[in-house]
Amino acid sequence: MKAVGHVATALIAATPVIFYREHLPEYLGADAMNNYELLWWCGLFSVMPDTDIILRKFLPIKHRGYLSHSIWTVLIAGALVITGFILAKQEIIPALKYCTPYSAFLASFSVLMHLAGDSITKTGVPFFLPNKACHFPFIGGYAAFDNYFLNAIPVATAAFLVSSVFGYNPGMMKY
């Protein structure tokens, strides 16, 4: 899947979670960011696993390897944000005010959506085991990452969903 497809997939999955965040307990920090920032947050973490494309120029790793496309990546994304939350709470690095348990969940969730998107391709992802490719049940293993139609579906769906749920009313986006 291309980067735009990964971002769109994460936005599709995160939109309901963001929309209903006002029903969450205050201690989760769901109000630390507005809806625009939360959507950007999800987009950023949805492409994080593909940083291995850049890192493999400097390190002996491969694209869609166990370090970047497994359950560990999901856990590491959440752990990094929780670490930022602890550092901000202790006022060691107060600039990390956006790191909350809620944003840690969204970060991990976005990485998980990236892995789900890659698991429908022929290559798959080593989700649990280092040398074993996992595919999405029933539909995984048939798609090519450069399939423009396959990448256009989540983009169109995300655009429709985000505009339908949050609308074009800036008041809905809670600046």
Side-chain angles (χ1 to χ4, degrees):
M1 207 176 241
K2 301 262 186 208
V4 70
H6 287 304
V7 171
T9 305
L11 294 183
I12 291 167
T15 297
V17 177
I18 293 169
F19 186 73
Y20 289 108
R21 70 188 168 118
E22 60 196 30
H23 302 293
L24 295 173
E26 190 176 317
Y27 65 85
L28 292 178
D31 58 347
M33 290 188 255
N34 64 40
N35 291 339
Y36 284 123
E37 293 166 332
L38 288 169
L39 291 171
W40 276 103
W41 186 263
C42 290
L44 174 73
F45 277 92
S46 69
V47 295
M48 187 190 83
D50 282 343
T51 56
D52 62 357
I53 294 171
I54 297 166
L55 293 176
R56 70 181 177 175
K57 295 177 182 174
F58 309 104
L59 300 171
I61 59 174
K62 64 178 192 165
H63 180 52
R64 289 194 188 176
Y66 192 61
L67 293 176
S68 63
H69 283 71
S70 69
I71 189 67
W72 292 110
T73 314
V74 175
L75 299 174
I76 289 169
L80 286 174
V81 179
I82 289 294
T83 302
F85 171 70
I86 293 168
L87 293 174
K89 212 50 154 166
Q90 298 295 325
E91 296 182 3
I92 297 170
I93 306 176
L96 299 175
K97 63 182 180 179
Y98 292 134
C99 294
T100 65
Y102 179 72
S103 60
F105 168 76
L106 284 177
S108 293
F109 190 62
S110 297
V111 171
L112 185 63
M113 290 298 100
H114 178 106
L115 300 181
D118 278 351
S119 71
I120 66 170
T121 63
K122 293 174 184 169
T123 309
V125 293
F127 195 70
F128 295 111
L129 300 170
N131 295 319
K132 175 111 170 94
C134 293
H135 296 283
F136 201 81
F138 306 114
I139 61 171
Y142 299 106
F145 77 93
D146 58 350
N147 183 327
Y148 292 106
F149 181 70
L150 183 66
N151 282 290
I153 291 172
V155 172
T157 306
F160 173 76
L161 184 63
V162 169
S163 65
S164 296
V165 171
F166 298 116
Y168 296 107
N169 180 356
M172 278 296 289
M173 294 303 282
K174 297 180 185 174
Y175 287 110

